[in-house]
Amino acid sequence: MVGSVLLERMKAENDFASFDPVFFSTSQAGQDGPDVGKGKAPLRDANDIAALAEMDMIVSCQGGDYTTAVHSPLRSSGWSGLWIDAASTLRMAQDAVIILDPVNRKNIDQALAAGTKDFIGGNCTVSLMLMAIGSLFDKGWVEWVNASTYQAASGAGARNMRELVLQMRALGACKTADDPRAAILDLDREVQGVMQADQFPQDEFGAALAGSLIPWIDKLVEEGQTREEWKGMVETNKILGLHSSIPVDGTCVRIGAMRSHSQALTIKLKRDIPLDEIEATLRAGNEWVDFVANNKADTLQRLSPAACSGTLTIPVGRVRKMKLGPEYLSVYTVGDQLLWGAAEPLRRMVLIALNKL
Ligand code: HSE
């Protein structure tokens, strides 16, 4: 799915004019590859280390197992090209850089100049958070962050997106909904019955997501944290290149959105910074931030998965000081998990490495 989105973006931006792509597949070698304006060629075998080693740069959207299987044999074979992927396998390796160039372009340029060869896209939630509030970290204002996430089905995979829609359809088929005179508690009972029925589709999620939510993403790591929650702190600090770590923690929750993640951030500032200064800083963060005024009309129109899915826009809104004290800031943000959360940093890294961006 990330590969398809990446291809769409590269075609839309005419990236293929800058290099000659060779397409590989783990399962369809020999079949026609995509035509990106340069004619079709047969797909090559993505498990053929010698064939891969002919490349100057490899971009993989195949996932962590593939990176684990191929990266190390490739490097052992003496290959010194650039490896760019979006899997978590290499992210925390000492000689890999997590790429999110609107936030850490300087680190990327330094690493390239120093001969770093592995450039890895970050966890989607972390990347989307930093696209939204990286500017506050840059100012040195942030003492810690607590993130309550509302993560879309796409983060769990293509089959999960389909299952979410099948769940919605099962709920949407509840007959009581069609009768405006029916008692609402009858409709509620019917919905609850459908959700709890054996035939309710939940092989992928293992639970109802439509009409419900799942406050667990990935596996347990330590001290009760899930791996998704653990990534928040380690990846944020690595992307920002910080020497002393800023604490980031929270609760990651799967909700019934298709492809955009949302996050409610509680940010402890190091001092009481006026809201207008915070707003100006967030607005200036990068060209994709859409600062949404804290009112109902703008929030409904612009600050939701429905509003920003399929776009590179990062809406940032509900910005206010909290009753907890003047150093406590509340921010809400949304972003397409498949774009800035996955494909976009990869295509931009290719262009950066080619001096085209
Ligand atoms: N782990 C993320 C999620 C997806 O489950 O939503 C991509 O980083």
Side-chain angles (χ1 to χ4, degrees), residues 68-119:
T68 304
V70 158
H71 179 268
S72 156
L74 245 180
R75 289 290 184 223
S76 306
S77 78
W79 182 68
S80 61
L82 294 193
W83 175 275
I84 300 169
D85 79 7
S88 61
T89 315
L90 300 172
R91 255 182 227 152
M92 295 310 295
Q94 209 179 344
D95 43 9
V97 169
I98 304 182
I99 47 177
L100 188 64
D101 67 274
V103 174
N104 70 346
R105 176 65 189 259
K106 213 166 65 193
N107 302 357
I108 294 171
D109 289 341
Q110 280 169 359
L112 271 174
T116 296
K117 302 290 182 196
D118 295 332
F119 293 89

Side-chain angles (χ1 to χ4, degrees), residues 2-3 42 89 100 117 143 147 184 210 233 235 249 268 286 336:
V2 175
T89 315
L100 188 64
K117 302 290 182 196
E143 188 172 320
I184 196 63
M233 179 157 166
E235 291 193 22
D249 204 343
K268 170 83 192 308
N286 58 62
D336 189 313

Side-chain angles (χ1 to χ4, degrees), residues 91 122-125 151-152 155-156 217 228 231 254 261 337:
R91 255 182 227 152
N123 167 267
C124 46
T125 315
Q151 295 183 222
I217 296 178
E228 188 76 356
K231 287 174 181 172
R254 186 78 65 204
H261 287 358
Q337 181 267 326

Side-chain angles (χ1 to χ4, degrees), residues 97-349:
V97 169
I98 304 182
I99 47 177
L100 188 64
D101 67 274
V103 174
N104 70 346
R105 176 65 189 259
K106 213 166 65 193
N107 302 357
I108 294 171
D109 289 341
Q110 280 169 359
L112 271 174
T116 296
K117 302 290 182 196
D118 295 332
F119 293 89
I120 315 298
N123 167 267
C124 46
T125 315
V126 175
S127 297
L128 293 170
M129 176 185 73
L130 287 178
M131 285 299 291
I133 63 159
S135 53
L136 303 183
F137 285 98
D138 261 4
K139 290 271 189 187
W141 289 346
V142 178
E143 188 172 320
W144 53 252
V145 179
N146 177 82
S148 300
T149 74
Y150 308 81
Q151 295 183 222
S154 59
R159 285 199 296 264
N160 296 65
M161 292 175 81
R162 188 183 306 278
E163 186 169 273
L164 170 62
V165 175
L166 294 178
Q167 290 189 356
M168 288 170 170
R169 185 164 73 188
L171 299 185
C174 284
K175 294 265 182 297
T176 321
D178 296 326
D179 179 1
R181 288 162 312 173
I184 196 63
L185 290 182
D186 287 341
L187 174 57
D188 179 54
R189 255 187 297 276
E190 190 182 356
V191 166
Q192 187 69 3
V194 168
M195 261 197 259
Q196 289 178 348
D198 287 344
Q199 62 271 33
F200 191 64
Q202 54 179 49
D203 289 349
E204 303 300 330
F205 286 114
L209 185 63
S212 188
L213 54 77
I214 303 173
W216 189 281
I217 296 178
D218 212 333
K219 57 183 186 218
L220 182 66
V221 283
E222 57 196 16
E223 293 170 359
Q225 255 191 336
T226 64
R227 194 166 147 73
E228 188 76 356
E229 290 152 2
W230 171 82
K231 287 174 181 172
M233 179 157 166
V234 294
E235 291 193 22
T236 296
N237 283 281
K238 180 162 180 175
I239 290 170
L240 296 172
L242 296 174
H243 297 299
S244 56
S245 277
I246 295 179
V248 178
D249 204 343
T251 303
C252 292
V253 178
R254 186 78 65 204
I255 55 120
M258 285 295 273
R259 58 180 278 179
S260 286
H261 287 358
S262 307
Q263 309 184 50
L265 307 170
T266 298
I267 303 165
K268 170 83 192 308
L269 301 168
K270 289 183 183 160
R271 60 186 167 84
D272 177 8
I273 294 151
L275 261 186
D276 56 353
E277 229 179 293
I278 290 170
E279 177 179 333
T281 301
L282 288 169
R283 281 184 188 279
N286 58 62
E287 66 188 91
W288 297 276
V289 166
D290 172 28
F291 188 89
V292 180
N294 189 14
N295 64 59
K296 184 174 176 181
D298 287 307
T299 299
L300 264 58
Q301 203 184 353
R302 284 157 49 205
L303 190 61
S304 70
C308 78
S309 287
T311 78
L312 293 168
T313 304
I314 304 287
V316 180
R318 300 303 326 276
V319 177
R320 64 182 179 86
K321 291 292 183 75
M322 302 178 80
K323 296 285 184 206
L324 304 172
E327 302 93 9
Y328 292 84
L329 182 70
S330 187
V331 174
Y332 194 90
T333 182
V334 190
D336 189 313
Q337 181 267 326
L338 294 172
L339 288 170
W340 276 120
E344 197 63 13
L346 304 193
R347 65 162 284 273
R348 292 173 64 89
M349 184 63 219

